């Protein structure tokens, strides 16, 4: 497979210009061939390689540098550090109405964009009808672009890019402006384009779109590459990060001294035999074994509660030993130990927290809390928290496949 | 797979392909500029010809009647042809400069959003100005020739190299000024005054010979003198400028293009940071 896009050590900084004299100083420095003084980095050290036929999703918070990276790849911006090589024709849909002149009609802007893409007048004429049909904005095609709604602008922009059949298609979040039917049309077009061997780099905040269209993903965070790889792994890590973020500050740290004075406290917690806080990621449907050792001050038998919550705090499942009519058995050290088994964990891919709490013998008062973070990986595009047992009836096998 | 030479954002395209793409874009921009410059006005394209004619009428009235500008030589044509021959190229030149100086700034919405060769943005207004005033110039010269004013037919061909060089001079200065304008915004407001001063310092409304003897050699240092006097020489048969004037004009063209291209190339990768 040939490499279509290659970026090495890519970085972009913006100069800090506050006073008027800064501009003049920057000008003189640049003319002398030196760097322009103080700068703010927005993108640092990006290494990226996209092979022909690949589809790459770019995700990250606002301001993470996604659009800057796209602009560097398309050559709109010049990198401050590193280099970009693109071995093919790029079609880009970067910003709403970028490259359109508001005073000119849709038709004029099509001609202008086609020239920018390097198309001759004959090639343009051959495709004009196709573009106008795809945009489907009626008589607005002859009206100045300033009278367009933002959806119409996107329609026109996408129609032009689609008609030029680029080797590499780069689209930023703009498609979200289109209405439902147009978005579907675009996604259908992109799927077809990918099937025919096209290459795609897509920025979206919709993980659904990213997972539907891309096989690879890159997560940018504060101008750096946080994660890169299979689309499901990266999007799940990103979503988990967001869930943790929206859960706010984590619960206050466990004060071991204070806990020791309580009637019960957790002496040890092992998940799948691991004592560590950070557990290796589990495959979807794998077995989970939670082992809790509880210290009892007065030698009374505790009730043990085990709960699973999504990283953002949404409870998924909770169960205590007394509900199932069991209790922890004493160990040789005078503690109490119990093990909870989930043979086939039905959790969907994502990040979760497992908590263990000891309760008093009546199961009324809750003492200590110990938690572990659990990551479930997998390629399942199902939605929600768990897979519910299900069967389809009156169904035929799917005829259209996504072609591997 | 062969590299696609029609691409603008491809790094490894051949230089000729890039140049062709840049020219195609500049042409497209210039055509759009011309079509739309008069689109919103009532009389449409007629303005393109009417405006210089009105300008000519004003100038010939002011200088021919009010200031009673001395007519050049007894055998030479009247003041109006004398003025036309130089005023039109000067208008093209000064308009090209003033339009192109803000070209990068005006297209800030393109820079930073669309990948395009930035020289095209500067080349386009220069081409548009020279196209519209060049067409008017040739039309007027033909009318004068048919109307029996002493325009030398050979001059219609001989003037072309001078116009081409004037175009290059304008382009070089435009590249320089437009890239500086991105950083220092004081250039565009000062330019009209400077151009006006330059016009009155050049032999546009008068000939060098109306000046005192001691001042005449200084005109050689003004690159416009060489162009103005050459045009009057080949079109109206007036005295040719000296070698010094030719050399100064040629050096100015080379210098403007060299410095303009150097500065533009050095600064263009930083435009988006300062717009």
């Amino acid at each position: 497979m040939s490499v279509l896009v290659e970026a090495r050590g890519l970085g972009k900084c913006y100069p800090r210009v506050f006073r008027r004299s800064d501009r003049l100083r920057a000008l003189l420095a640049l003319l002398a061939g030196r760097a322009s003084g103080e700068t703010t980095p927005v993108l640092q050290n990006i290494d990226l390689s996209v092979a022909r036929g690949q589809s790459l999703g770019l995700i990250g918070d606002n301001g993470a540098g996604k659009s800057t990276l796209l602009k560097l790849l398309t050559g709109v911006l010049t990198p401050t550090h590193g280099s970009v090589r693109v071995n093919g024709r790029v079609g880009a849909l970067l910003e709403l109405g970028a490259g359109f002149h508001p005073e000119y009609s849709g038709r004029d802007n099509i001609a202008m964009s086609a020239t920018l893409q390097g198309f001759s007048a004959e090639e343009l004429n051959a495709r004009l009808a196709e573009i106008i049909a795809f945009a489907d904005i009626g008589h607005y095609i002859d009206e100045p672009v300033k009278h367009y709604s933002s959806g119409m602008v996107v329609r026109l922009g996408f129609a032009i890019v689609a008609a030029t059949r680029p080797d590499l298609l780069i689209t930023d979040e703009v498609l979200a402006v289109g209405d439902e039917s147009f978005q579907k049309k675009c996604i259908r077009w992109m799927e077809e384009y990918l099937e025919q061997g096209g290459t795609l780099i897509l920025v979206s905040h919709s993980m659904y779109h990213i997972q539907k269209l891309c096989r690879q993903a890159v997560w940018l965070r504060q101008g750096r590459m946080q994660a890169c790889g299979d689309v499901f792994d990266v999007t799940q890590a990103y979503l988990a990060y967001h869930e943790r973020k929206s859960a706010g500050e984590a619960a206050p740290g466990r004060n071991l001294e204070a806990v020791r004075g309580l009637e019960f406290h957790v002496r040890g917690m092992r998940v799948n035999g691991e004592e560590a806080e950070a557990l290796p990621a589990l495959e979807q449907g794998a077995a989970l074994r939670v082992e809790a050792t509880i210290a009892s001050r007065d030698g009374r038998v505790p009730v043990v509660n085990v709960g699973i919550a999504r990283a953002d705090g949404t409870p998924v499942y909770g169960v205590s030993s007394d509900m199932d009519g069991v209790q922890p058995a004493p160990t040789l050290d005078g503690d109490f130990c119990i093990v909870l088994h989930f043979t086939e964990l039905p959790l969907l891919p994502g990040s979760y927290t497992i908590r263990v709490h000891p309760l008093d013998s009546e199961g009324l008062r809750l003492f200590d809390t110990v938690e572990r973070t659990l990551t479930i990986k997998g390629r399942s595009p199902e939605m929600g928290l768990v897979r519910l047992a299900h069967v389809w009836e009156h169904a035929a096998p799917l005829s259209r496949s996504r072609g591997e | 797979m062969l590299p696609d030479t029609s691409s603008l954002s491809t790094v490894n395209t051949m230089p000729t392909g890039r140049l062709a793409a840049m020219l195609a874009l500049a042409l497209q921009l210039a055509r759009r500029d011309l079509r739309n410059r008069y689109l919103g006005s009532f009389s449409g394209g007629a303005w393109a010809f009417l405006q210089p004619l009105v300008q000519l009428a004003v100038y010939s009235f002011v200088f021919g009647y009010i200031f009673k500008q001395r007519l050049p030589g007894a055998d030479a044509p009247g003041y109006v042809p004398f003025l036309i021959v130089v005023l039109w190229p000067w208008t093209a030149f000064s308009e090209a400069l003033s339009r192109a100086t803000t070209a990068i700034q005006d297209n800030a919405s393109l820079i930073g959003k669309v990948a395009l060769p930035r020289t095209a943005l500067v080349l386009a207004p220069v081409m548009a100005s020279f196209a519209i005033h060049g067409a008017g110039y040739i039309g007027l010269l033909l009318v004068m020739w048919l109307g029996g004013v002493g325009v030398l037919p050979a001059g219609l061909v001989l003037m072309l190299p001078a116009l081409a060089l004037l175009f290059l001079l304008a382009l070089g200065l435009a590249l320089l000024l437009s890239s500086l304008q991105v950083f220092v915004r004081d250039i565009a407001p000062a330019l009209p005054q400077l151009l006006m001063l330059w016009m009155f310092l050049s032999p546009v409304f008068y000939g060098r010979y109306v000046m005192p003897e001691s001042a005449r050699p200084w005109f050689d240092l003004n690159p416009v003198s060489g162009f103005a006097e050459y045009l009057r020489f080949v079109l109206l048969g007036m005295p040719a400028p000296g070698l010094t004037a030719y050399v100064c004009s040629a050096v100015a063209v080379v210098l403007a293009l060299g410095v303009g291209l150097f500065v533009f190339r050095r600064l263009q990768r930083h435009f988006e940071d300062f717009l």
Side-chain angles (χ1 to χ4, degrees), chain A residues 12-15 17 20 22-24 26-27 30-34 36 52 71 73-80 84-90 94-101 103-104 108-109 111-112 115-119 167, chain B residues 1-4 6-12 21 24-26 28-29 32-33 35-37 39 107 109-118 179-185 262-264 266-275:
Chain A
K12 176 76 188 170
C13 303
Y14 284 109
V17 181
R20 269 171 291 177
D22 287 348
R23 304 182 74 92
L24 194 61
L27 171 64
L30 291 174
L31 277 178
R34 285 183 281 116
S36 64
R52 201 172 284 278
K71 286 179 176 179
L73 294 181
T74 48
V76 171
L77 296 181
T78 27
T80 317
V84 186
R85 265 168 52 89
V86 180
N87 303 311
R89 214 162 44 71
V90 182
L94 290 182
E95 268 175 55
L96 193 55
F100 287 161
H101 195 297
E103 296 292 332
Y104 300 100
D108 284 341
N109 274 300
M112 193 67 226
T115 316
L116 281 171
Q117 298 274 335
F119 279 83
D167 297 320
Chain B
M1 181 139 213
L2 286 171
D4 189 342
S6 65
S7 165
L8 301 175
S9 42
T10 311
V11 177
N12 60 349
L25 177 64
Q28 173 80 20
L29 282 167
R32 196 173 75 165
D33 176 37
R35 189 147 47 89
N36 285 274
R37 197 185 294 185
L39 200 67
N107 284 294
S109 60
L110 279 180
I111 287 173
K113 299 213 173 114
V114 183
L116 80 176
R118 289 161 186 185
S179 53
L180 293 181
Q181 167 70 13
V182 173
F183 293 83
V184 185
R185 303 283 164 90
F262 172 80
V263 170
F264 195 88
R266 182 144 273 192
L267 296 180
Q268 66 168 343
R269 46 187 286 129
H270 304 282
F271 283 168
E272 67 258 17
D273 303 346
F274 288 89
L275 277 171

Side-chain angles (χ1 to χ4, degrees), chain B residues 160-233:
Chain B
L160 293 178
L163 293 186
L165 285 175
L166 191 65
F167 176 86
L168 291 180
L169 180 67
L171 180 62
L173 289 174
L175 285 171
L176 174 70
L177 294 178
S178 62
S179 53
L180 293 181
Q181 167 70 13
V182 173
F183 293 83
V184 185
R185 303 283 164 90
D186 309 45
I187 292 172
L191 193 66
Q193 278 68 41
L194 291 176
L195 281 173
M196 175 102 77
L197 181 67
W198 193 358
M199 178 171 77
F200 284 113
L201 285 177
S202 309
V204 175
F205 293 105
Y206 53 87
R208 191 199 292 230
Y209 42 80
V210 302
M211 287 290 144
E213 190 77 52
S214 59
R216 287 179 203 173
W218 292 104
F219 276 86
D220 287 339
L221 293 178
N222 180 351
V224 175
S225 307
F227 287 104
E229 286 166 356
Y230 175 79
L231 286 171
R232 282 179 184 145
F233 165 59

